[in-house]
Amino acid sequence: MVAFIISIIALNKTIKLNLEFKRFVIKPIIATLMMGICSYFVYMILLGIIRQKLATIIAIIFAIVIYALAVVALKIFTKEEIKMLPGGNKICKILEKIKIY
């Protein structure tokens, strides 16, 4: 966190970077919390049913899916940023079709 704050201050001074605090800090923290809480509960539920290693792998996969969905739901990326991703045009069309963007 300290390194992040120092980097942001340095960028603001040198290139007059104007980052939206809500979009670049608050929303990613919310997405991370959602991912962490969901994956923890999935892991704890699976731990009593299957082996620990398999429960960990499934919880990690679940965490990736939850984080991706949270990023989309919180609209952390703009349409233009999504279009820059590999396959971004297709992703953007799907998101427009389900009326997220």
Side-chain angles (χ1 to χ4, degrees), residues 38-40 42-48 50-64:
C38 290
S39 63
Y40 173 77
V42 167
Y43 175 75
M44 294 310 285
I45 290 168
L46 292 176
L47 194 56
I50 58 177
R51 294 187 327 203
Q52 182 178 4
K53 290 180 183 179
L54 188 56
T56 302
I57 292 169
I58 292 171
I60 290 170
I61 293 168
F62 191 79
I64 293 167

Side-chain angles (χ1 to χ4, degrees), residues 28-44 59-60 62-68 70:
I29 289 173
I30 292 169
T32 303
L33 288 172
M34 291 169 58
M35 174 197 67
I37 291 167
C38 290
S39 63
Y40 173 77
F41 283 114
V42 167
Y43 175 75
M44 294 310 285
I60 290 170
F62 191 79
I64 293 167
V65 171
I66 291 296
Y67 189 77

Side-chain angles (χ1 to χ4, degrees), residues 1 3 8 15-16 22 31 38 40 50 53 60 62 73 76-77 79 82 87 90-92 95-98:
M1 188 61 126
I8 294 298
I15 61 172
K16 306 296 183 223
K22 181 179 176 184
C38 290
Y40 173 77
I50 58 177
K53 290 180 183 179
I60 290 170
F62 191 79
I76 293 174
F77 295 119
K79 275 186 186 181
I82 292 172
K90 289 180 183 179
I91 295 169
C92 204
L95 293 174
E96 287 172 350
K97 198 177 265 189
I98 58 176

Side-chain angles (χ1 to χ4, degrees), residues 10-29:
L11 285 171
N12 280 333
K13 286 183 180 179
T14 56
I15 61 172
K16 306 296 183 223
L17 185 65
N18 187 15
L19 296 176
E20 300 171 39
F21 185 76
K22 181 179 176 184
R23 181 172 165 225
F24 289 101
V25 178
I26 301 299
K27 287 183 178 183
I29 289 173

Side-chain angles (χ1 to χ4, degrees), residues 81-92:
E81 292 169 337
I82 292 172
K83 287 181 180 180
M84 288 192 293
L85 295 170
N89 288 326
K90 289 180 183 179
I91 295 169
C92 204

